[in-house]
Every structure is written in structure tokens, then in C-alpha cells.
Amino acid sequence: MNIGILAVQGAFAEHSECISKLGAEPVLIRNTGDIHNIDGLILPGGESTVQHRLLNETGLFQPLREMISNGLPVLATCAGMIILAQHICGGEEPCFGLLPVSVCRNAYGRQLGSFSTVGNIGSISDFPMRFIRAPYVERVCSDNVRILNITDDRITAVRYKSITALAFHPELTDDLRIHREFLDTVGKSC
Ligand code: GLN
């Protein structure tokens, strides 16, 4: 199973390690030649404005957007959640705009720097959640968006069709359950 990991900026190496540990093949995506044989896609954390610009500059924006809207399973973390969102607080230009939620960028309450906590993510219990200048979902815009976690009264994890989007960083912990669940989803859709 080949898992594409957007590797233009941000925490792609850590995701790549998680995917290798689970026995799947990570494929680092830097240009349009890299996307042909992928069964799933990870959009990593980093800086969403930079990633948005690089998606355009590399020509990856259109083909990846099309693959995601055609049902390619996606795991998005932090900046990746912003990259997918339909709306961004403050009227910032959305990127893919395929996840019907409105997200606010850059920290809330005790997330102003970064912090860790533990929470349930859907059916996964007691998951270590590491937040780094994280976004949160201020509003879901479709009944088909399932909320997987609320921390400090904020929605931090959602699922919509084949997209799972998290405000925190599972790739920075030793717990592989979220990546394993993602690979299960990819396996079913292959
Ligand atoms: N603050 C970043 C942004 O707005 C996201 C932070 C992260 O991915 N850790 O893009």
C-alpha cells in the first residue's frame, strides 16, 4: 500500500516514519510526478500559508484536489486541516476547500504556545494529543461531518467521508493507532 505524504514543507518526515513502522510504503510528494500510484494521502502540519503557495507553485494543487474530491482517503494534521477547510476565520482564502468546516488558525486559550493532553478520538481512547499553534474547528457546515474530539470546548478532530482531519500531531507521539486506523481505511478503499 502506497501512502503519499505531501512533502513540500512541515512535519512530513515524522509521518513517513509512522507509515514505515506500520509496514506500508511512504511516498514523499514534491511534484506532480509523485502522485500516480498513491492509495491514500497525508497532509502534514507545518505552515498552511507556505504549503498553499507551494501547492500552487509545484502544480500539485489541481491534481491533488481532484483526487481528494474523488474519494482518495486523507489524513490531515494541523496545517493540513487548514489546507482542507472550506472556510478560514477572518476571511483568509481557503486552499482545497473540500472539508465543510470553518477553522480558526493559530491557537486558542492554552494552545497559544503548545500543550499536550490526552483524549478520545472517535473509538480510540486515551490518545496523547500534542498541539502546536493549532487550529480548531469553530463550525461544521454539513450534517455529514462527524466530530471525533472536543478539547477545552473546541472541536479538534473531525471525519467527513474519507477525510480525517486533526488539529493535533499524532506523528509526534509513539502511539500509532491513528495511523493504523487510517491504513485500515485505505485498505478497505483499495
Ligand atoms: N499555525 C500553523 C498554520 O496556521 C499550523 C501549525 C501546525 O501545523 N503545527 O498553518
Side-chain angles (χ1 to χ4, degrees), residues 12 35-36 47 51 84 99 109 121 136 144 149 164 166 169:
F12 53 86
I35 59 177
H36 299 302
E47 182 52 47
Q51 293 183 5
L84 283 173
L99 177 63
I121 316 301
Y136 67 89
N144 296 323
N149 176 270
T164 301
L166 315 170
H169 288 270

mmCIF file of all heavy atoms in Angstrom, residues 12 35-36 47 51 84 99 109 121 136 144 149 164 166 169:
data_model
loop_
_atom_site.group_PDB
_atom_site.id
_atom_site.type_symbol
_atom_site.label_atom_id
_atom_site.label_comp_id
_atom_site.label_asym_id
_atom_site.label_seq_id
_atom_site.Cartn_x
_atom_site.Cartn_y
_atom_site.Cartn_z
ATOM 1 N N PHE A 12 6.601 16.225 7.453
ATOM 2 C CA PHE A 12 6.342 15.033 6.621
ATOM 3 C C PHE A 12 7.228 13.848 7.026
ATOM 4 O O PHE A 12 6.804 12.704 6.947
ATOM 5 C CB PHE A 12 6.486 15.361 5.125
ATOM 6 C CG PHE A 12 7.782 16.021 4.751
ATOM 7 C CD1 PHE A 12 8.893 15.262 4.468
ATOM 8 C CD2 PHE A 12 7.874 17.401 4.687
ATOM 9 C CE1 PHE A 12 10.082 15.860 4.122
ATOM 10 C CE2 PHE A 12 9.068 18.016 4.349
ATOM 11 C CZ PHE A 12 10.172 17.244 4.066
ATOM 12 N N ILE A 35 2.565 11.508 -7.729
ATOM 13 C CA ILE A 35 1.221 11.241 -7.186
ATOM 14 C C ILE A 35 0.487 10.075 -7.853
ATOM 15 O O ILE A 35 -0.647 9.778 -7.490
ATOM 16 C CB ILE A 35 0.313 12.495 -7.276
ATOM 17 C CG1 ILE A 35 0.179 12.956 -8.721
ATOM 18 C CG2 ILE A 35 0.855 13.598 -6.398
ATOM 19 C CD1 ILE A 35 -0.768 14.139 -8.871
ATOM 20 N N HIS A 36 1.158 9.398 -8.802
ATOM 21 C CA HIS A 36 0.376 8.484 -9.640
ATOM 22 C C HIS A 36 -0.060 7.195 -8.986
ATOM 23 O O HIS A 36 -1.131 6.685 -9.286
ATOM 24 C CB HIS A 36 1.104 8.240 -10.958
ATOM 25 C CG HIS A 36 1.262 9.530 -11.707
ATOM 26 N ND1 HIS A 36 0.173 10.296 -12.054
ATOM 27 C CD2 HIS A 36 2.357 10.234 -12.073
ATOM 28 C CE1 HIS A 36 0.582 11.405 -12.644
ATOM 29 N NE2 HIS A 36 1.907 11.389 -12.654
ATOM 30 N N GLU A 47 3.221 25.045 8.057
ATOM 31 C CA GLU A 47 2.703 26.409 7.920
ATOM 32 C C GLU A 47 1.774 26.431 6.699
ATOM 33 O O GLU A 47 2.226 26.322 5.566
ATOM 34 C CB GLU A 47 3.897 27.375 7.767
ATOM 35 C CG GLU A 47 3.502 28.823 7.663
ATOM 36 C CD GLU A 47 2.582 29.281 8.783
ATOM 37 O OE1 GLU A 47 2.871 28.992 9.955
ATOM 38 O OE2 GLU A 47 1.563 29.921 8.474
ATOM 39 N N GLN A 51 2.446 26.194 2.626
ATOM 40 C CA GLN A 51 2.044 24.978 1.898
ATOM 41 C C GLN A 51 1.093 25.334 0.747
ATOM 42 O O GLN A 51 1.199 24.783 -0.356
ATOM 43 C CB GLN A 51 1.386 23.989 2.853
ATOM 44 C CG GLN A 51 2.369 23.429 3.880
ATOM 45 C CD GLN A 51 1.744 22.392 4.791
ATOM 46 O OE1 GLN A 51 0.584 22.011 4.617
ATOM 47 N NE2 GLN A 51 2.494 21.932 5.779
ATOM 48 N N LEU A 84 -7.407 21.856 4.014
ATOM 49 C CA LEU A 84 -8.620 21.206 3.501
ATOM 50 C C LEU A 84 -9.896 22.017 3.721
ATOM 51 O O LEU A 84 -10.900 21.805 3.034
ATOM 52 C CB LEU A 84 -8.813 19.855 4.202
ATOM 53 C CG LEU A 84 -7.934 18.706 3.743
ATOM 54 C CD1 LEU A 84 -8.154 17.503 4.660
ATOM 55 C CD2 LEU A 84 -8.246 18.315 2.297
ATOM 56 N N LEU A 99 -13.326 20.300 2.835
ATOM 57 C CA LEU A 99 -13.829 19.811 4.126
ATOM 58 C C LEU A 99 -14.805 20.869 4.660
ATOM 59 O O LEU A 99 -14.399 22.009 4.932
ATOM 60 C CB LEU A 99 -12.643 19.625 5.088
ATOM 61 C CG LEU A 99 -12.942 19.189 6.516
ATOM 62 C CD1 LEU A 99 -13.593 17.809 6.544
ATOM 63 C CD2 LEU A 99 -11.655 19.196 7.353
ATOM 64 N N GLY A 109 -6.740 29.798 23.757
ATOM 65 C CA GLY A 109 -6.553 29.535 25.178
ATOM 66 C C GLY A 109 -5.153 29.050 25.468
ATOM 67 O O GLY A 109 -4.166 29.672 25.086
ATOM 68 N N ILE A 121 -10.361 9.873 20.547
ATOM 69 C CA ILE A 121 -10.511 10.314 19.157
ATOM 70 C C ILE A 121 -11.418 9.294 18.482
ATOM 71 O O ILE A 121 -10.955 8.216 18.081
ATOM 72 C CB ILE A 121 -9.155 10.356 18.423
ATOM 73 C CG1 ILE A 121 -8.055 10.999 19.278
ATOM 74 C CG2 ILE A 121 -9.298 11.055 17.071
ATOM 75 C CD1 ILE A 121 -8.318 12.414 19.711
ATOM 76 N N TYR A 136 -8.520 25.196 15.309
ATOM 77 C CA TYR A 136 -9.655 24.418 15.805
ATOM 78 C C TYR A 136 -10.818 24.650 14.865
ATOM 79 O O TYR A 136 -10.828 25.615 14.093
ATOM 80 C CB TYR A 136 -10.017 24.780 17.256
ATOM 81 C CG TYR A 136 -10.565 26.170 17.439
ATOM 82 C CD1 TYR A 136 -11.932 26.436 17.334
ATOM 83 C CD2 TYR A 136 -9.708 27.230 17.705
ATOM 84 C CE1 TYR A 136 -12.429 27.718 17.493
ATOM 85 C CE2 TYR A 136 -10.196 28.515 17.878
ATOM 86 C CZ TYR A 136 -11.558 28.754 17.771
ATOM 87 O OH TYR A 136 -12.047 30.022 17.926
ATOM 88 N N ASN A 144 -22.895 15.718 7.599
ATOM 89 C CA ASN A 144 -22.062 14.538 7.376
ATOM 90 C C ASN A 144 -20.680 14.634 8.006
ATOM 91 O O ASN A 144 -19.866 13.736 7.855
ATOM 92 C CB ASN A 144 -21.912 14.285 5.871
ATOM 93 C CG ASN A 144 -23.252 13.957 5.246
ATOM 94 O OD1 ASN A 144 -24.071 13.289 5.859
ATOM 95 N ND2 ASN A 144 -23.492 14.479 4.049
ATOM 96 N N ASN A 149 -13.474 14.576 18.395
ATOM 97 C CA ASN A 149 -12.924 15.014 19.693
ATOM 98 C C ASN A 149 -13.279 16.477 19.949
ATOM 99 O O ASN A 149 -13.269 17.298 19.019
ATOM 100 C CB ASN A 149 -11.391 14.869 19.715
ATOM 101 C CG ASN A 149 -10.806 15.410 21.022
ATOM 102 O OD1 ASN A 149 -10.464 16.588 21.123
ATOM 103 N ND2 ASN A 149 -10.725 14.552 22.019
ATOM 104 N N THR A 164 -10.041 12.384 7.344
ATOM 105 C CA THR A 164 -9.933 12.563 8.796
ATOM 106 C C THR A 164 -9.017 13.757 9.018
ATOM 107 O O THR A 164 -7.904 13.789 8.474
ATOM 108 C CB THR A 164 -9.322 11.311 9.466
ATOM 109 O OG1 THR A 164 -10.157 10.193 9.162
ATOM 110 C CG2 THR A 164 -9.245 11.480 10.978
ATOM 111 N N LEU A 166 -7.273 16.413 11.910
ATOM 112 C CA LEU A 166 -6.940 16.566 13.320
ATOM 113 C C LEU A 166 -6.204 17.879 13.540
ATOM 114 O O LEU A 166 -5.339 18.241 12.740
ATOM 115 C CB LEU A 166 -6.003 15.426 13.758
ATOM 116 C CG LEU A 166 -6.360 14.002 13.308
ATOM 117 C CD1 LEU A 166 -5.191 13.062 13.617
ATOM 118 C CD2 LEU A 166 -7.623 13.542 14.023
ATOM 119 N N HIS A 169 -1.052 16.562 16.643
ATOM 120 C CA HIS A 169 0.031 15.900 15.899
ATOM 121 C C HIS A 169 0.262 14.460 16.351
ATOM 122 O O HIS A 169 1.177 14.216 17.156
ATOM 123 C CB HIS A 169 1.335 16.688 16.102
ATOM 124 C CG HIS A 169 1.363 17.991 15.390
ATOM 125 N ND1 HIS A 169 1.841 18.141 14.107
ATOM 126 C CD2 HIS A 169 0.956 19.217 15.780
ATOM 127 C CE1 HIS A 169 1.739 19.393 13.731
ATOM 128 N NE2 HIS A 169 1.206 20.072 14.729
#
